[in-house]
Amino acid sequence: MSRIGRVERTTKETSTVVEIDLDGTGQVAVSTGVGFYDHMLDQLGRHGLFDLSVKTEGDLHIDSHHTIEDTALALGGAFRQALGDKVGIYRFGTCSVPLDESLAQVTVDLSGRPYLVHSEPGNMAPMIGSYDTTMTRHILESFVAQAQVALHVHVPYGRNAHHIVECQFKALARALRHASERDPRAAGILPSTKGAL
């Protein structure tokens, strides 16, 4: 059974189409008009081994906020849809990723309950190209809200803003990959004592 999610989202501010295949090979085609964000979504697909297609057109003449936010909302919705009934998955995933002087630690629970804990070094450079570095937390908030997952992201140290953000996306990709993979020992089993996720 294929595990593919597709979300189309259109507002007065943006138009976005996101498709994700959880059992892909890391094939990525991303276009949001925000170069660094495209780079981060590429990391998510490639390191998660998700086939990911993202096409967003937004009101970049204002700023990148709506474009980034609505893409993250659509991505979360597509991820949740692709998970299906969650039977036989690992459910939990964790990964630590260094990037030179920076380190990201990410743990996820595909719980059906949205919750985000996020910390990163303060006093980062405010912009990476046209990407506002304060948007990283908002991306994660938006993704979590629609994906219905509990996500803990911690960057205990780092200096370079590019590295600090990128290691978060790489660690997130690996944690999501592991959590969403099918556990061969748990075929047909829903990983929850509640009987629902």
Side-chain angles (χ1 to χ4, degrees):
M1 180 183 296
S2 64
R3 297 194 299 161
I4 297 172
R6 187 176 193 273
V7 169
E8 294 186 46
R9 178 184 171 89
T10 301
T11 70
K12 291 181 179 179
E13 298 163 340
T14 64
S15 174
T16 184
V17 180
V18 174
E19 185 170 307
I20 189 168
D21 182 348
L22 301 185
D23 302 311
T25 59
Q27 300 298 307
V28 179
V30 174
S31 176
T32 66
V34 183
F36 183 75
Y37 191 35
D38 289 356
H39 180 44
M40 294 303 95
L41 294 173
D42 185 70
Q43 300 300 315
L44 186 70
R46 291 183 191 276
H47 288 278
L49 286 183
F50 307 131
D51 290 346
L52 179 62
S53 173
V54 177
K55 176 64 177 173
T56 302
E57 295 179 358
D59 53 0
L60 295 178
H61 61 287
I62 295 176
D63 71 6
S64 62
H65 185 107
H66 300 140
T67 297
I68 291 172
E69 176 183 53
D70 288 359
T71 300
L73 289 167
L75 177 62
F79 184 84
R80 181 180 182 193
Q81 186 184 113
L83 282 173
D85 61 13
K86 303 180 187 176
V87 169
I89 64 169
Y90 282 101
R91 177 178 166 177
F92 304 99
T94 189
C95 186
S96 293
V97 169
L99 183 53
D100 295 348
E101 84 298 339
S102 300
L103 177 72
Q105 301 163 327
V106 173
T107 301
V108 65
D109 175 8
L110 307 183
S111 61
R113 299 183 306 277
Y115 201 92
L116 175 67
V117 176
H118 179 255
S119 65
E120 62 185 5
N123 301 315
M124 276 198 294
M127 302 295 291
I128 305 170
S130 61
Y131 178 89
D132 178 348
T133 56
T134 66
M135 287 300 292
T136 303
R137 179 184 178 89
H138 193 49
I139 290 165
L140 298 174
E141 288 171 336
S142 300
F143 176 82
V144 160
Q146 294 300 310
Q148 299 284 288
V149 302
L151 179 63
H152 292 238
V153 178
H154 180 49
V155 183
Y157 48 80
R159 292 187 309 275
N160 181 275
H162 188 130
H163 294 166
I164 290 168
V165 177
E166 184 170 340
C167 65
Q168 291 178 66
F169 276 86
K170 287 179 173 175
L172 175 62
R174 293 282 176 150
L176 288 174
R177 172 181 163 184
H178 183 71
S180 63
E181 282 180 342
R182 293 189 173 102
D183 181 351
R185 296 181 60 200
I189 298 172
L190 184 70
S192 171
T193 57
K194 296 177 186 291
L197 280 177

